[in-house]
Amino acid sequence: VSPAFTTVAEADAFLDELRLAITPPLHQFSLQKCAFRDARTTLLFVRLVERMRRALAAEYGLRLATITPLQCFVSCFVGAQDKQGGLHSDEATHREFHYSAVLYLSTQGVDFEGGGFAFNDAAPEPGGARVLSPLAPSKGAAVLFSSGWENYHEVEPLLDGTRFALPGFFGTRPAVHAEPADDA
């Protein structure tokens, strides 16, 4: 978990651009939908996705050339939602998803109620019950994790307000061309 993955000002600037580039109702706003509408929004979107890609590469010791964004979008839920993510692993949903990242663009308890994120962690003792480890989303924070069953997780139903997030799903592949040894 990175509590200050972006600044609040950067998250607000991206949200301001999104509000100009999109038309409600918005549930999933992808880079493809934004690419031909507004260059500034597109550049901010790409910048945030690239930051996630670089953070995942650094966190997991991967060469930057081997990690590729496969699906990234802005998720917006407004008002009470009966269902959100349910318990799942991202790789079980799409086998090519090896790493996941979620950048929060709004804050639980300020912009929305409910809608929390929780890992379903293994039992501390053999045969014991699994343990939910909740994370209260806050603007500018991000969570980065491998997408397999080791990171079984859920998003709680939204109770009220507007919840914005930028989830990204990344795959790995062999580096096919020579690159400098220093990914910086």
Side-chain angles (χ1 to χ4, degrees):
V1 175
S2 175
F5 191 79
T6 68
T7 65
V8 170
E10 186 175 21
D12 284 341
F14 185 51
L15 281 173
D16 289 345
E17 290 297 323
L18 285 171
R19 288 183 180 108
L20 295 174
I22 59 178
T23 55
L26 167 69
H27 294 289
Q28 289 187 358
F29 183 69
S30 67
L31 188 55
Q32 292 101 335
K33 289 179 183 175
C34 131
F36 298 105
R37 294 184 186 194
D38 179 77
R40 180 171 165 75
T41 308
T42 303
L43 291 172
L44 288 169
F45 202 144
V46 168
R47 179 179 171 185
L48 293 171
V49 170
E50 178 62 10
R51 189 177 302 163
M52 285 192 267
R53 185 176 83 94
R54 288 175 179 271
L56 285 166
E59 179 68 25
Y60 287 96
L62 302 168
R63 291 184 60 203
L64 193 55
T66 66
I67 190 162
T68 305
L70 298 176
Q71 184 179 37
C72 301
F73 55 91
V74 174
S75 171
C76 174
F77 290 95
V78 180
Q81 303 284 318
D82 291 335
K83 188 176 180 183
Q84 285 288 82
L87 283 171
H88 67 282
S89 80
D90 297 328
E91 192 173 62
T93 307
H94 296 284
R95 66 185 173 113
E96 58 277 346
F97 292 174
H98 301 139
Y99 297 93
S100 302
V102 181
L103 169 61
Y104 294 102
L105 302 171
S106 53
T107 300
Q108 185 180 37
V110 175
D111 303 303
F112 62 93
E113 298 298 328
F117 179 95
F119 284 110
N120 188 316
D121 294 325
E125 299 174 12
R130 295 182 69 87
V131 177
L132 283 180
S133 298
L135 166 72
S138 63
K139 188 181 290 187
V143 60
L144 309 157
F145 54 97
S146 57
S147 300
W149 289 104
E150 67 279 4
N151 284 312
Y152 204 42
H153 61 280
E154 70 178 344
V155 176
E156 299 167 337
L158 189 66
L159 301 175
D160 189 37
T162 302
R163 182 185 187 274
F164 280 98
L166 195 166
F169 305 96
F170 299 81
T172 55
R173 61 178 175 77
V176 292
H177 51 70
E179 67 173 286
D182 180 10
D183 282 342

